[in-house]
């Protein structure tokens, strides 16, 4: 049975489509509709207050993107389960763990949106109190995103290792998962080392790449089975 004919292959295609569409729409909203100046501590709160409906949509898309990543990891875990059950279990755990990242999006949808609504009608002294309540919220949301990125970084590297061991996945896709996994780990190691993520331009490049590659993955599986790459190592049991 070819990959695209299997249920897990269809799961990959649908999850990748969700990730690509949600991610591109989210990026478009924050660039064109809700630009946020990261140097201003309350910039996101002000943006959410200025256009609350669009901000809630962005928060929903954020959650859906995390679910898309989780679906891709779970689907590849199912695809490789018979040949590498232990690594497939790691993928399943990493995929389920994307709920942690999605909770960050839900905090934006619930908490930030609520504070923004109050901020619009608040008196000056009340605004100061709302700003104080908001000040640590981005760090909390970022912690959820960071934990989710650690998990999907590991998952992407596991997918790359499985593809190299067992074949059945196009080589370009294997390379992309490896590069994306290494970037994600480097991003979080930067937080550990210097307390900050890698430069924002790298984030934009890799997130745009992730979204576009996700759409290509979805189209590839819907159009037909990709040509399997040659197996480059004996297939281990784990």
């Amino acid at each position: 049975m070819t990959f695209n004919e299997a249920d897990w292959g269809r799961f990959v295609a649908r999850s990748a489509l969700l990730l690509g569409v949600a991610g591109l729409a989210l990026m478009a909203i924050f660039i064109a509709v809700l630009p946020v100046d990261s140097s201003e501590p309350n910039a996101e709160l002000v943006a959410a207050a200025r256009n609350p409906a669009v901000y809630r949509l962005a928060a929903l898309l954020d959650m859906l993107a995390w679910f898309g990543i989780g679906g891709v990891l779970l689907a590849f875990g199912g695809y490789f389960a018979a040949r590498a059950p232990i690594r497939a279990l790691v993928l399943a755990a990493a995929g389920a763990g994307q709920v942690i990242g999605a909770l960050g999006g839900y905090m934006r949808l619930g908490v930030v949106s609520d504070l923004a609504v109050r901020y619009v009608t608040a008196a000056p002294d009340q605004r100061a109190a709302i700003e104080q309540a908001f000040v640590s919220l981005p760090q909390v949301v970022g912690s959820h995103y960071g934990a989710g990125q650690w998990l999907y970084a590991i998952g992407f590297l596991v997918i790359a290792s499985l593809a190299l061991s067992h074949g059945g996945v196009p080589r370009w896709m294997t390379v992309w998962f490896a590069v994306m996994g290494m970037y994600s780990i480097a991003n979080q190691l930067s937080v550990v080392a210097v307390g900050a993520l890698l430069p924002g331009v790298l984030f934009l490049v890799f997130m745009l790449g992730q979204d576009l590659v996700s759409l290509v993955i979805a189209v590839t599986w819907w159009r037909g089975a990709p040509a399997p790459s040659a197996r480059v190592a004996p297939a281990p049991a784990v």
Side-chain angles (χ1 to χ4, degrees):
M1 179 179 294
T2 57
F3 189 15
N4 74 307
E5 295 171 338
D7 290 338
W8 289 114
R10 289 190 289 270
F11 192 5
V12 167
R14 284 155 177 77
S15 298
L17 180 64
L18 175 62
L19 172 57
V21 172
L24 286 175
L26 178 63
M27 186 175 293
I29 286 175
F30 273 112
I31 290 176
V33 183
L34 290 176
V36 174
D37 183 359
S38 58
S39 65
E40 294 293 330
N42 298 316
E44 185 171 345
L45 177 64
V46 173
R50 186 171 61 246
N51 203 331
V54 175
Y55 184 84
R56 288 194 297 271
L57 174 60
L60 175 62
L61 291 169
D62 189 8
M63 292 173 57
L64 292 177
W66 285 101
F67 286 136
I69 296 173
V72 169
L73 294 172
L74 287 169
F76 274 106
Y79 175 60
F80 286 109
R83 289 172 285 176
I86 295 178
R87 280 183 285 178
L89 186 61
V90 172
L91 284 179
Q98 297 313 296
V99 172
I100 299 173
L103 284 174
Y106 192 77
M107 287 182 184
R108 279 178 152 178
L109 181 62
V111 181
V112 177
S113 294
D114 180 65
L115 290 175
V117 170
R118 298 182 187 184
Y119 192 78
V120 172
T121 58
D125 59 330
Q126 294 174 322
R127 285 195 170 190
I130 292 173
E131 290 173 354
Q132 186 62 35
F134 175 78
V135 70
S136 62
L137 190 57
Q139 286 74 26
V140 176
V141 173
S143 296
H144 281 269
Y145 291 165
Q149 188 173 50
W150 271 115
L151 290 172
Y152 76 65
I154 294 170
F156 287 171
L157 291 176
V158 170
I159 291 173
S161 73
L162 286 167
L164 288 172
S165 299
H166 299 282
V169 175
R171 184 58 54 83
W172 66 265
M173 191 184 303
T174 302
V175 172
W176 169 254
F177 278 122
V179 171
M180 189 64 189
M182 288 187 289
Y183 159 75
S184 301
I185 288 178
N187 202 34
Q188 293 305 314
L189 286 178
S190 177
V191 175
V192 175
V194 300
L197 298 170
L198 294 175
V201 65
L202 287 177
F203 172 81
L204 290 176
V205 169
F206 275 93
M207 289 304 101
L208 179 60
Q210 174 179 270
D211 298 335
L212 294 176
V213 168
S214 296
L215 293 180
V216 174
I217 291 173
V219 170
T220 299
W221 261 264
W222 253 300
R223 289 173 56 186
S229 55
R231 185 179 299 176
V232 297
V238 296

